[in-house]
Amino acid sequence: MNNHTDDRSRTGQFLSTFNTAQYKQFLSEFDIIKCPKNTVLIQKNQPQHYFYIVISGRLGVSISDHSQKEIEVAHFEENDICGEMSLFSENDLATANVIAKSDCVLIRISHNISDAFKLQLVSSVYEKIKKNNDRIIHYETKIKNIIS
């Protein structure tokens, strides 16, 4: 379904540093998919062959508690990358369920992408981890101020 345009602003930080040649090559390596609400994209303990960039909609990440009740532990929205950690793990089994919480439009990318794109992804994942760490530090400081 490779009918793509050169609109890197809609695909977040991951593609923002690509030059035009890299971006055109990347366009040939992915598909844009539409997922209705409640579509299961990733199932825990199942092989994971793709990761996703959210163009629109909301994905929920959930795990099962001891009674098999699903508990949402995170979510992904526009420009977020989901499922990329399986590129770096020892096996390709998913560690959580990912379900469309609304109708979504996603970029689906195979794990077979070139090394250049994997390097871009590592940089993007680093920024994501740093941002989350900064958020944790912020809330930790707020909590300490409330307690004090």
Side-chain angles (χ1 to χ4, degrees):
M1 177 190 195
N2 290 332
N3 182 15
H4 314 299
T5 62
D6 191 353
D7 184 7
R8 286 171 248 192
S9 64
R10 298 223 35 222
T11 55
Q13 252 182 322
F14 176 58
L15 300 179
S16 65
T17 61
F18 282 18
N19 66 37
T20 301
Q22 290 171 320
Y23 187 72
K24 285 181 180 178
Q25 181 184 355
F26 179 78
L27 292 179
S28 68
E29 296 190 26
F30 74 83
D31 291 310
I32 295 178
I33 61 171
K34 294 181 180 181
C35 297
K37 182 178 180 178
N38 297 321
T39 299
V40 177
L41 293 161
I42 298 173
Q43 190 169 11
K44 184 175 180 173
N45 296 323
Q46 295 300 311
Q48 179 58 22
H49 304 291
Y50 300 98
F51 65 97
Y52 304 88
I53 300 174
V54 180
I55 295 175
S56 66
R58 184 176 188 276
L59 302 176
V61 180
S62 63
I63 56 173
S64 300
D65 68 8
H66 63 282
S67 66
Q68 300 305 312
K69 179 182 175 191
E70 287 293 310
I71 300 170
E72 188 170 310
V73 295
H75 66 272
F76 297 101
E77 295 176 334
E78 187 174 325
N79 295 325
D80 287 338
I81 300 173
C82 171
E84 76 283 0
M85 294 309 294
S86 60
L87 277 172
F88 309 109
S89 66
E90 294 282 326
N91 62 49
D92 62 351
L93 299 182
T95 58
N97 300 311
V98 177
I99 300 168
K101 293 298 186 177
S102 66
D103 292 344
C104 296
V105 178
L106 309 168
I107 296 175
R108 181 178 63 187
I109 306 161
S110 170
H111 284 184
N112 297 325
I113 59 172
S114 69
D115 289 341
F117 298 123
K118 286 182 183 177
L119 287 174
Q120 286 294 123
L121 186 59
V122 168
S123 175
S124 182
V125 169
Y126 168 77
E127 289 300 322
K128 181 176 169 181
I129 291 168
K130 185 177 179 312
K131 180 180 170 184
N132 286 336
N133 188 54
D134 291 346
R135 192 176 318 156
I136 290 168
I137 291 169
H138 171 77
Y139 286 117
E140 181 180 49
T141 302
K142 277 182 117 173
I143 290 168
K144 284 180 182 177
N145 289 338
I146 291 170
I147 294 172
S148 302

